[in-house]
Amino acid sequence: MRRKPWDLAFMAEPTEVAGLRRVMRSHLGIWGLHGVADEAQLCVSELVSNVITHVGAGTPATLAVSMNGVRLRIEVHDPDTRALPTLLDANVDSEGGRGMALVDAVAERWGVELGPDRKVTWCELATGLASPDGHVEGPGVRRAENLLEWCTDGKPPHLPGAGRLGRAFAEESAITVITDFLHWLRAHGCDVEDALDRAQTRYDAELDGLGDRLSRGEHLTQEL
């Protein structure tokens, strides 16, 4: 999967944050990086809020997202090279400083780059990718690939760099395997529709598993 860098210009206003979060989640879904969507949205909220608070509402800014190796890199560009974000040891009584503390808690690393006319505040998140153009490894993925390889006479179903034909072959192979399992369930007297519903519920729950872990972080975000 080719994950091309993208950027989006915006005005640093509180009303823009929700839209930027939705755009981030949508792009990560296209990139197959659902597992880091919650952390990425949190970082977008804090980096943008930092510009609003310390540079000023209405500041023209840019959100830029790319891959740095196997890490997801999130950048927020703004024109003020003087107001630098600072990581504070914020406790429960602090009124500020929690934003970058939250970024520091979920990101592998973060920093600030200064140019002649702009500042770039960035952070990088671990994705679980084995390669920049690969997919996230996991027990479910590995089991599926073993099944697909067996069902396609030993031909690898995932063909990195093979373009649209390779992707189409992999997708058709996966659909064939799912269809065969549905036939197996029906042949053994199982409710196929119930099985599909349960599978969808389990899949959604696994994608949303990070939500509970970040719920406190989101609560603090709303307080800032």
Side-chain angles (χ1 to χ4, degrees):
M1 175 182 292
R2 300 295 181 183
R3 298 180 174 92
K4 295 176 61 177
W6 59 272
D7 58 72
L8 177 65
F10 66 94
M11 300 299 286
E13 298 280 2
T15 53
E16 292 292 304
V17 175
L20 293 171
R21 287 167 55 87
R22 286 193 295 270
V23 169
M24 172 62 77
R25 181 171 286 275
S26 176
H27 273 273
L28 292 184
I30 294 171
W31 280 5
L33 298 179
H34 307 274
V36 295
D38 289 329
E39 289 105 326
Q41 286 186 306
L42 177 61
C43 290
V44 167
S45 294
E46 299 307 335
L47 295 181
V48 174
S49 295
N50 194 69
V51 175
I52 296 171
T53 301
H54 298 290
V55 181
T59 299
T62 301
L63 171 66
V65 181
S66 61
M67 297 299 299
N68 184 14
V70 296
R71 296 187 183 94
L72 176 71
R73 184 179 177 92
I74 301 170
E75 300 177 353
V76 171
H77 303 209
D78 72 75
D80 194 325
T81 58
R82 298 167 299 171
L84 302 182
T86 303
L87 178 63
L88 301 178
D89 184 14
N91 56 48
V92 293
D93 297 322
S94 299
E95 294 184 359
R98 283 179 279 192
M100 296 312 297
L102 290 173
V103 172
D104 185 68
V106 301
E108 278 206 336
R109 55 186 184 179
W110 67 274
V112 182
E113 297 175 1
L114 297 178
D117 58 356
R118 69 173 180 172
K119 172 174 83 264
V120 178
T121 307
W122 59 270
C123 65
E124 293 182 353
L125 302 175
T127 62
L129 293 172
S131 65
D133 296 328
H135 54 74
V136 178
E137 289 289 352
V141 173
R142 287 193 292 272
R143 288 195 298 269
E145 288 197 334
N146 289 335
L147 285 169
L148 285 168
E149 188 169 348
W150 179 75
C151 292
T152 54
D153 298 324
K155 299 176 184 178
H158 181 69
L159 304 176
R164 292 168 60 186
L165 290 178
R167 181 181 179 128
F169 170 72
E171 184 174 338
E172 187 60 32
S173 298
I175 292 172
T176 298
V177 171
I178 293 170
T179 303
D180 288 344
F181 274 121
L182 294 178
H183 282 299
W184 183 91
L185 287 167
R186 182 175 180 275
H188 286 79
C190 299
D191 186 329
V192 173
E193 293 298 328
D194 178 64
L196 285 172
D197 289 342
R198 288 162 57 193
Q200 184 69 53
T201 298
R202 185 177 301 179
Y203 174 73
D204 291 340
E206 290 177 358
L207 290 186
D208 294 337
L210 291 175
D212 291 340
R213 182 163 63 84
L214 291 177
S215 60
R216 176 169 172 75
E218 291 290 348
H219 177 68
L220 290 176
T221 300
Q222 294 172 6
E223 291 181 351
L224 293 179

